[in-house]
C-alpha cells in the first residue's frame, strides 16, 4: 500500500487506488467540503486522481491562492458550456486563467455586446445552480480528435494535433459539454459562485494577425462576495482613471486609425511630456551621463550582428533604399555602441555613460495596442554604461539607488524588484552567464534583500533586474530595468585599452528607469486620476473674471504669475462664474484664481483649489510664496 506524507509531517498508509478526494475526506469532513484539488509531490492534480506510490500529498482548498486559480479556470469552462447552449454553432478556442480572472476565445457569428454578456452570465448562473459534477477522463490522441471532430471544434482539433506524443490528454465533461485542459478543475460547480463577466474584445487566433479574429470574453471570480465586490469597485475606479478617457477630457493627446499605435500629442499633453523629460534629463546630467541622439534607420546587417534581428525580426519595421535593407530603430543599444566606438578609449575613460531619449518603433500586433500603455512608436529613457568588470558592482548599486530615488520623487513608494536569469534562447557562454548573474545577485542582496527571482526571464544577451511599481489602485506596472551584457560589445567590435596596454571589450549595462515615456505618462495619469503633481501640471493656474469690468485686473494677475514662471492662463469668457469654476475644477486645474469687485478694490485675489480649499482675499505675492514650494518635484 502507498505511504503518504502530509504537510504537517504525519505519515499514513492508504489502500491502492485511494484518490485525493478520499484522502481529504479521511482527514476531515470540513476539509473535503472546501477541497478543489490536491498536490502529489508538488504537482497539482484533480481530486479524482489516485496515489500510486509513496509520495507527499497536500490538499488544495478553494480559498488558497492555487485554489482560486482553479476556480477561475473552471469558470472559463463554464463560459464554454453556456456559449454552446446559447449559440450551438460557436467554435471554442482557448480559455486560460489570467491575473484576477479568466477569458475564453470564441469563433461565433453572433457579435457579443453588453446584452449578450448579461445573457451568458445568467446562463452560467443557471449552470452553477445545478451543482453538477465535473468529470475528468484521460483519452488517447485519436479519441480526443474524434470527440472534437464529431462536435465540429476545429480549434480544439488543432491543439490536439500539437500535443507531443505521450503527453496526457484530459477531457473534462460538464454535462453535455466537453472541454480539454491540463487541469485540474473543481470537482463540482457548487464551488463556482462569485463571478462577473467584465468585457468583450477581439483577439487573433494564436495572437497572429494572419489568423481569424475571435471574440474574447473576460471574467473575474473570487472566493467571497466581498472580494468580488471590492475587485469590481477597483475596476470601476480604474475605468474612471483610464488615461485615454482623461486624455480626451483634458485635451492631452489622441489616437487615430491612420497611425495605429502612435500618439498625437496635444499642447497640454506635450507639456507634461517635456516636463517629465526635463526631470529625467536633470537626473541623467547629475549622474554623469552624456546625452546623445542616434539615427532612426540603420542597415540591417548591424541588427544581425547585434542579435536583435533574430530575436525581434517580426517586430522590426523595415525599409529599402538603393539595394540596401534597413531597420527602423526598435531600440538604441547598437547605436550607442557606434558612438562608443568613435575614438580610442582607455580604461581611464571608463565608466563611459551615454543616454538618449530614443524614439523607437516596434510592430506590436494591433490587438495588443492600448493607448499610451502599448504603442508602436514610443520614446525610451535609454542609457548605457560601458565599464570594466571591476566597476560593475559600484555602477549597479548606483543604478538601483537612482531608480528608487526617481520613483519616490514621482510618487511611487511600493516598489518590487525581481532578478531575471538566463532564458532558454540566449547568446554567450555559460561561464559568462554565471559571472553576470553572480554580479547582479550580489548587488541585489546588498541593496534589495527582499527581491524575487524569475528564472528564464532575462534578456537574450544577459540577466536583468526589473523594477515594478504599485499604483494607487494596487495595480502593478513593470517599468525600469538594469541589464548586464558581456556579449553585444564584442559582437559590435567595441574595445578599450586596458591597464596592460591591451585591447579589451567593455562590459555594457543597459538601463531604463521610466521604460517608455508614453507608457509612464499613462501610468502617472491613472495613478493620480488626472490630478498630477503641481510641477507636472500642464496648466497650473487659471484666472477667471466675474464680469467684463474685471478683465484688465485679471490680465495683470495672469502676467504676474507668468513672470514668476508659473503655467497660467485666463478664462475671460462671458459666462457665469460658477460655470467657469466648475469647468476648470473638472479639468483638474490645481488653482482657480477669481477676480471680482472685492479683489480689485483690495488689490488681492481669491483662490479656489481643486480639493475645495479656498483662500479669500490673499495678495498675489503671498500666494506665490505658497506655490514656490510646489513648483519643483
Amino acid at each position: 500500500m502507498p505511504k503518504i506524507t502530509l504537510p504537517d509531517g504525519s505519515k499514513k498508509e492508504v489502500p491502492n487506488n485511494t484518490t485525493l478526494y478520499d484522502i481529504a475526506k479521511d482527514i476531515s469532513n470540513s476539509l473535503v467540503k472546501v477541497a478543489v484539488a490536491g498536490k502529489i509531490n508538488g504537482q497539482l492534480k484533480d481530486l479524482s486522481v489516485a496515489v500510486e506510490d509513496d509520495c507527499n500529498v497536500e490538499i488544495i482548498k478553494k480559498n488558497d491562492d492555487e485554489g482560486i486559480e482553479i476556480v477561475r479556470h473552471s469558470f472559463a469552462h463554464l463560459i464554454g458550456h453556456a456559449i454552446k447552449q446559447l449559440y450551438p454553432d460557436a467554435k471554442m478556442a482557448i480559455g486560460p486563467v489570467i491575473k484576477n480572472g479568466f477569458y475564453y476565445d470564441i469563433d461565433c457569428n453572433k457579435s457579443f455586446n453588453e446584452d449578450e454578456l448579461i445573457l451568458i452570465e445568467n446562463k452560467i448562473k443557471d449552470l452553477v445552480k445545478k451543482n453538477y459534477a465535473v468529470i475528468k477522463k484521460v483519452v488517447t490522441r485519436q479519441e480526443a480528435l474524434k470527440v472534437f471532430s464529431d462536435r465540429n471544434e476545429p480549434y480544439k482539433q488543432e491543439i490536439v494535433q500539437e500535443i507531443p506524443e505521450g503527453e496526457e490528454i484530459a477531457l473534462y465533461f460538464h454535462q453535455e459539454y466537453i472541454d480539454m485542459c491540463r487541469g485540474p478543475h473543481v470537482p463540482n460547480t457548487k464551488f463556482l459562485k462569485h463571478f462577473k463577466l467584465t468585457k468583450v474584445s477581439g483577439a487573433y487566433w494564436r495572437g497572429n494577425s494572419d489568423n481569424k479574429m475571435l471574440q474574447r470574453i473576460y471574467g473575474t471570480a473570487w472566493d467571497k462576495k466581498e472580494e468580488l465586490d471590492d475587485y469590481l469597485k477597483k475596476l470601476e475606479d480604474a475605468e474612471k482613471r483610464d488615461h485615454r478617457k482623461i486624455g480626451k477630457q483634458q485635451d492631452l493627446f489622441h489616437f487615430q486609425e491612420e497611425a495605429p499605435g502612435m500618439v498625437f500629442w496635444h499642447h497640454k499633453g506635450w507639456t507634461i511630456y517635456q516636463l517629465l523629460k526635463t526631470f529625467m534629463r536633470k537626473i541623467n546630467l547629475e549622474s554623469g551621463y552624456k546625452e546623445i541622439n542616434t539615427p532612426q534607420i540603420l542597415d540591417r546587417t548591424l541588427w544581425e550582428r547585434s542579435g536583435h534581428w533574430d530575436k525581434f525580426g517580426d517586430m522590426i519595421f523595415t525599409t529599402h533604399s538603393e539595394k540596401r535593407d534597413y531597420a527602423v530603430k526598435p531600440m538604441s543599444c547598437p547605436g550607442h555602441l557606434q558612438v562608443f566606438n568613435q575614438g580610442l578609449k582607455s580604461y581611464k575613460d571608463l565608466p563611459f555613460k551615454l543616454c538618449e531619449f530614443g524614439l523607437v518603433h516596434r510592430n506590436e500586433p494591433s490587438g495588443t495596442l492600448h493607448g499610451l500603455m502599448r504603442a508602436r512608436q514610443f520614446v525610451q529613457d535609454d542609457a548605457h554604461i560601458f565599464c570594466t568588470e571591476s566597476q560593475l558592482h559600484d555602477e549597479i548599486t548606483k543604478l538601483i539607488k537612482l531608480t528608487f530615488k526617481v520613483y519616490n520623487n514621482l510618487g511611487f513608494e511600493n516598489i518590487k524588484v525581481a532578478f531575471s536569469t538566463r532564458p532558454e534562447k540566449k547568446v554567450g557562454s555559460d561561464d559568462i552567464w554565471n559571472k553576470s548573474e553572480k554580479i547582479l545577485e550580489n548587488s541585489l542582496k546588498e541593496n534589495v534583500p527582499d527581491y524575487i527571482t524569475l528564472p528564464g526571464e532575462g534578456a537574450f544577451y544577459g540577466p536583468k533586474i526589473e523594477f515594478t511599481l504599485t499604483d494607487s489602485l494596487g495595480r502593478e506596472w513593470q517599468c525600469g530595468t538594469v541589464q548586464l551584457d558581456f556579449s553585444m560589445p564584442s559582437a559590435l567590435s567595441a574595445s578599450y585599452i586596458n591597464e596592460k596596454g591591451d585591447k579589451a571589450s567593455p562590459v555594457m549595462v543597459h538601463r531604463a528607469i521610466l521604460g517608455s515615456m508614453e507608457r509612464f505618462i499613462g501610468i502617472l495619469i491613472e495613478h493620480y486620476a488626472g490630478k498630477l503633481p503641481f510641477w507636472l501640471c500642464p496648466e497650473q493656474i487659471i484666472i477667471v473674471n466675474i464680469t467684463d469690468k474685471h478683465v484688465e485686473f485679471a490680465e495683470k494677475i495672469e502676467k504676474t504669475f507668468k513672470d514668476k514662471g508659473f503655467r497660467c492662463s485666463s478664462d475671460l469668457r462671458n459666462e457665469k462664474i460658477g460655470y467657469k469654476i466648475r469647468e476648470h475644477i473638472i479639468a483638474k486645474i490645481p488653482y482657480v484664481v477669481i477676480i471680482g469687485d472685492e479683489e480689485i478694490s483690495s488689490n488681492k485675489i481669491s483662490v479656489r483649489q481643486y480639493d475645495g480649499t479656498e483662500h479669500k482675499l490673499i495678495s498675489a505675492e503671498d500666494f506665490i510664496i505658497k506655490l514656490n514650494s510646489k513648483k519643483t518635484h
Side-chain angles (χ1 to χ4, degrees), residues 49 96 109-110 140 182 201-202 232 365 404 453 533:
V49 172
N109 291 330
K110 178 70 176 178
T140 65
R182 290 179 179 174
S201 70
L232 293 177
F404 273 92
T453 300

PDB file of all heavy atoms in Angstrom, residues 49 96 109-110 140 182 201-202 232 365 404 453 533:
ATOM      1  N   VAL A  49      -7.747  11.964  -8.965  1.00  0.00           N
ATOM      2  CA  VAL A  49      -6.512  11.225  -9.229  1.00  0.00           C
ATOM      3  C   VAL A  49      -6.134  10.384  -8.008  1.00  0.00           C
ATOM      4  O   VAL A  49      -6.189  10.850  -6.866  1.00  0.00           O
ATOM      5  CB  VAL A  49      -5.365  12.191  -9.591  1.00  0.00           C
ATOM      6  CG1 VAL A  49      -4.034  11.459  -9.675  1.00  0.00           C
ATOM      7  CG2 VAL A  49      -5.674  12.891 -10.910  1.00  0.00           C
ATOM      8  N   PRO A  96      -7.865  30.326 -20.853  1.00  0.00           N
ATOM      9  CA  PRO A  96      -6.920  30.238 -19.733  1.00  0.00           C
ATOM     10  C   PRO A  96      -7.252  31.170 -18.565  1.00  0.00           C
ATOM     11  O   PRO A  96      -8.123  32.036 -18.654  1.00  0.00           O
ATOM     12  CB  PRO A  96      -5.600  30.680 -20.387  1.00  0.00           C
ATOM     13  CG  PRO A  96      -6.043  31.680 -21.410  1.00  0.00           C
ATOM     14  CD  PRO A  96      -7.370  31.183 -21.931  1.00  0.00           C
ATOM     15  N   ASN A 109     -20.587  33.647 -35.083  1.00  0.00           N
ATOM     16  CA  ASN A 109     -21.180  34.627 -35.997  1.00  0.00           C
ATOM     17  C   ASN A 109     -21.931  35.717 -35.239  1.00  0.00           C
ATOM     18  O   ASN A 109     -22.100  36.824 -35.740  1.00  0.00           O
ATOM     19  CB  ASN A 109     -22.125  33.931 -36.979  1.00  0.00           C
ATOM     20  CG  ASN A 109     -21.370  33.044 -37.959  1.00  0.00           C
ATOM     21  OD1 ASN A 109     -20.225  33.331 -38.300  1.00  0.00           O
ATOM     22  ND2 ASN A 109     -21.996  31.963 -38.397  1.00  0.00           N
ATOM     23  N   LYS A 110     -22.388  35.398 -34.043  1.00  0.00           N
ATOM     24  CA  LYS A 110     -23.076  36.382 -33.217  1.00  0.00           C
ATOM     25  C   LYS A 110     -22.062  37.333 -32.603  1.00  0.00           C
ATOM     26  O   LYS A 110     -21.070  36.902 -31.993  1.00  0.00           O
ATOM     27  CB  LYS A 110     -23.852  35.674 -32.101  1.00  0.00           C
ATOM     28  CG  LYS A 110     -24.572  36.609 -31.137  1.00  0.00           C
ATOM     29  CD  LYS A 110     -25.747  37.293 -31.805  1.00  0.00           C
ATOM     30  CE  LYS A 110     -26.522  38.144 -30.806  1.00  0.00           C
ATOM     31  NZ  LYS A 110     -27.639  38.851 -31.438  1.00  0.00           N
ATOM     32  N   THR A 140      -6.818   8.993 -25.493  1.00  0.00           N
ATOM     33  CA  THR A 140      -5.743   8.986 -26.478  1.00  0.00           C
ATOM     34  C   THR A 140      -5.919  10.159 -27.433  1.00  0.00           C
ATOM     35  O   THR A 140      -6.980  10.786 -27.491  1.00  0.00           O
ATOM     36  CB  THR A 140      -5.745   7.685 -27.286  1.00  0.00           C
ATOM     37  OG1 THR A 140      -6.962   7.642 -28.056  1.00  0.00           O
ATOM     38  CG2 THR A 140      -5.655   6.462 -26.379  1.00  0.00           C
ATOM     39  N   ARG A 182      -5.330  20.781 -19.259  1.00  0.00           N
ATOM     40  CA  ARG A 182      -4.381  20.082 -18.393  1.00  0.00           C
ATOM     41  C   ARG A 182      -4.908  19.985 -16.969  1.00  0.00           C
ATOM     42  O   ARG A 182      -4.469  19.151 -16.188  1.00  0.00           O
ATOM     43  CB  ARG A 182      -3.034  20.820 -18.391  1.00  0.00           C
ATOM     44  CG  ARG A 182      -2.289  20.720 -19.718  1.00  0.00           C
ATOM     45  CD  ARG A 182      -0.988  21.489 -19.671  1.00  0.00           C
ATOM     46  NE  ARG A 182      -0.259  21.382 -20.921  1.00  0.00           N
ATOM     47  CZ  ARG A 182       0.854  22.056 -21.203  1.00  0.00           C
ATOM     48  NH1 ARG A 182       1.351  22.895 -20.304  1.00  0.00           N
ATOM     49  NH2 ARG A 182       1.467  21.897 -22.359  1.00  0.00           N
ATOM     50  N   SER A 201     -13.558  41.642 -26.080  1.00  0.00           N
ATOM     51  CA  SER A 201     -12.629  42.298 -27.000  1.00  0.00           C
ATOM     52  C   SER A 201     -12.319  41.341 -28.144  1.00  0.00           C
ATOM     53  O   SER A 201     -12.761  40.196 -28.149  1.00  0.00           O
ATOM     54  CB  SER A 201     -11.337  42.697 -26.269  1.00  0.00           C
ATOM     55  OG  SER A 201     -10.594  41.548 -25.935  1.00  0.00           O
ATOM     56  N   GLY A 202     -11.553  41.821 -29.095  1.00  0.00           N
ATOM     57  CA  GLY A 202     -11.125  40.979 -30.208  1.00  0.00           C
ATOM     58  C   GLY A 202      -9.734  40.421 -29.947  1.00  0.00           C
ATOM     59  O   GLY A 202      -8.918  41.043 -29.259  1.00  0.00           O
ATOM     60  N   LEU A 232     -14.526  44.565  -8.241  1.00  0.00           N
ATOM     61  CA  LEU A 232     -15.351  45.272  -9.228  1.00  0.00           C
ATOM     62  C   LEU A 232     -15.320  46.775  -8.977  1.00  0.00           C
ATOM     63  O   LEU A 232     -15.347  47.569  -9.925  1.00  0.00           O
ATOM     64  CB  LEU A 232     -16.788  44.747  -9.193  1.00  0.00           C
ATOM     65  CG  LEU A 232     -16.981  43.300  -9.663  1.00  0.00           C
ATOM     66  CD1 LEU A 232     -18.438  42.874  -9.517  1.00  0.00           C
ATOM     67  CD2 LEU A 232     -16.521  43.128 -11.114  1.00  0.00           C
ATOM     68  N   PRO A 365       1.401  43.667 -32.413  1.00  0.00           N
ATOM     69  CA  PRO A 365       0.130  43.253 -33.017  1.00  0.00           C
ATOM     70  C   PRO A 365      -0.972  44.256 -32.690  1.00  0.00           C
ATOM     71  O   PRO A 365      -1.047  44.772 -31.571  1.00  0.00           O
ATOM     72  CB  PRO A 365      -0.147  41.893 -32.349  1.00  0.00           C
ATOM     73  CG  PRO A 365       1.191  41.401 -31.908  1.00  0.00           C
ATOM     74  CD  PRO A 365       1.981  42.626 -31.544  1.00  0.00           C
ATOM     75  N   PHE A 404      15.251  53.880  -7.452  1.00  0.00           N
ATOM     76  CA  PHE A 404      14.349  54.089  -6.313  1.00  0.00           C
ATOM     77  C   PHE A 404      14.113  55.580  -6.078  1.00  0.00           C
ATOM     78  O   PHE A 404      12.985  56.003  -5.790  1.00  0.00           O
ATOM     79  CB  PHE A 404      14.928  53.442  -5.046  1.00  0.00           C
ATOM     80  CG  PHE A 404      14.564  52.002  -4.872  1.00  0.00           C
ATOM     81  CD1 PHE A 404      15.387  51.001  -5.366  1.00  0.00           C
ATOM     82  CD2 PHE A 404      13.395  51.640  -4.228  1.00  0.00           C
ATOM     83  CE1 PHE A 404      15.054  49.670  -5.212  1.00  0.00           C
ATOM     84  CE2 PHE A 404      13.049  50.304  -4.063  1.00  0.00           C
ATOM     85  CZ  PHE A 404      13.878  49.310  -4.561  1.00  0.00           C
ATOM     86  N   THR A 453      13.221  36.077  -7.539  1.00  0.00           N
ATOM     87  CA  THR A 453      13.935  35.580  -8.718  1.00  0.00           C
ATOM     88  C   THR A 453      12.940  35.065  -9.749  1.00  0.00           C
ATOM     89  O   THR A 453      11.982  34.364  -9.403  1.00  0.00           O
ATOM     90  CB  THR A 453      14.910  34.455  -8.334  1.00  0.00           C
ATOM     91  OG1 THR A 453      15.851  34.967  -7.384  1.00  0.00           O
ATOM     92  CG2 THR A 453      15.672  33.939  -9.549  1.00  0.00           C
ATOM     93  N   PRO A 533       0.895  65.903  -9.928  1.00  0.00           N
ATOM     94  CA  PRO A 533       1.593  66.807  -9.008  1.00  0.00           C
ATOM     95  C   PRO A 533       1.731  68.190  -9.638  1.00  0.00           C
ATOM     96  O   PRO A 533       1.840  68.324 -10.861  1.00  0.00           O
ATOM     97  CB  PRO A 533       2.963  66.142  -8.834  1.00  0.00           C
ATOM     98  CG  PRO A 533       2.732  64.704  -9.135  1.00  0.00           C
ATOM     99  CD  PRO A 533       1.662  64.666 -10.185  1.00  0.00           C
TER     100      PRO A 533
END
